[in-house]
């Protein structure tokens, strides 16, 4: 196993927990949304508005291909990354997939503040979250391990994942510190 990949719905804490987990492992942290923004020079919201979702999904796929050539990465994926089965196959090739989840109420509370950054949540926020969560339940179920991030703070969630990786000997003795 070479990378740790965090998957899950918007607002489940992938970025916050990924950063902490990377620190625990002494590995590099990559947030796919931030990386796409850096590579394209545009915000995710602008890509959706100016070029459409198809362009964003193609950027995600391209990045996914690049990242699977690398190792010792903690990758926080955008919530839609695993909707493409090719991405799932690539990420699984050399990574362990960890699903982060939380109750809809927790997610709604978290995404409210930065709603404009998430183009898929336009309109009635509560309805959109519930609708998308139901549609994606299966896509997120492919993970090797799952953490309810509504139950504890990001540090504790990161520690839970770290313990899981250690217990299962998934780190090849590569942990620093
Ligand atoms: C998306 C989630 C977002 C971002 C884009 C699409 C999705 O990432 O990639 O707005 O389809 O769920 P976060 O999960 O980091 O919010």
């Amino acid at each position: 196993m070479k990378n740790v990949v965090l998957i899950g719905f918007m607002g489940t804490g992938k970025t916050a927990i990924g950063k902490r987990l990377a620190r625990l492992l002494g590995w590099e942290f990559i947030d796919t949304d931030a990386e796409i923004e850096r590579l394209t020079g545009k915000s995710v919201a602008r890509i959706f508005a100016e070029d459409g979702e198809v362009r964003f999904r193609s950027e995600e796929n391209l990045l996914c291909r690049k990242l699977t050539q690398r190792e010792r990465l903690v990758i926080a994926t955008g919530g839609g990354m695993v909707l493409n089965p090719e991405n799932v196959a690539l990420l699984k090739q050399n990574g362990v997939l960890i699903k982060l989840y939380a109750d809809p109420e927790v997610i709604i509370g978290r995404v409210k503040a930065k709603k404009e950054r998430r183009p898929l949540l336009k309109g009635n926020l509560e309805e959109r979250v519930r609708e998308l969560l139901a549609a994606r339940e299966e896509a997120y179920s492919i993970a090797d391990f799952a953490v309810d991030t509504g139950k504890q703070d990001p540090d504790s969630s990161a520690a839970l994942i770290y313990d899981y990786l250690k217990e299962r000997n998934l780190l090849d003795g590569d942990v620093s510190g």
Side-chain angles (χ1 to χ4, degrees), residues 8-11 14-15 31-33 44 48 53 56-57 60 77-81 83 111 117-120 132 136 140:
F9 200 77
M10 296 171 255
K14 300 181 296 281
T15 302
D31 177 282
T32 60
D33 286 342
V44 170
F48 268 74
E53 182 172 351
F56 179 73
R57 298 301 176 202
E60 266 187 332
T77 59
M81 177 70 90
L83 299 178
V111 295
R117 284 208 203 156
R118 292 179 165 110
L120 291 181
L132 284 171
R136 291 175 173 192
Y140 297 135

Side-chain angles (χ1 to χ4, degrees), residues 85-173:
E86 190 196 327
N87 294 348
V88 174
L90 286 166
L91 293 167
K92 277 202 159 198
Q93 255 170 37
N94 68 338
V96 58
L97 267 55
I98 312 285
K99 166 183 153 177
L100 304 185
Y101 66 99
D103 289 339
E105 295 70 29
V106 173
I107 290 179
I108 290 160
R110 287 184 187 159
V111 295
K112 236 175 211 158
K114 291 174 184 167
K115 194 185 161 193
E116 70 289 345
R117 284 208 203 156
R118 292 179 165 110
L120 291 181
L121 298 182
K122 272 195 187 134
N124 183 319
L125 180 73
E126 299 209 2
E127 267 177 34
R128 281 299 283 156
V129 167
R130 289 180 200 280
E131 209 173 84
L132 284 171
L133 269 175
R136 291 175 173 192
E137 206 180 312
E138 208 183 315
Y140 297 135
S141 70
I142 42 108
D144 304 290
F145 182 63
V147 176
D148 182 347
T149 66
K151 297 270 186 278
Q152 65 277 311
D153 65 17
D155 283 314
S156 309
S157 293
L160 275 176
I161 299 167
Y162 180 84
D163 290 344
Y164 164 80
L165 297 169
K166 287 277 274 186
E167 273 163 25
R168 298 288 171 108
N169 285 323
L170 292 169
L171 298 167
D172 303 322

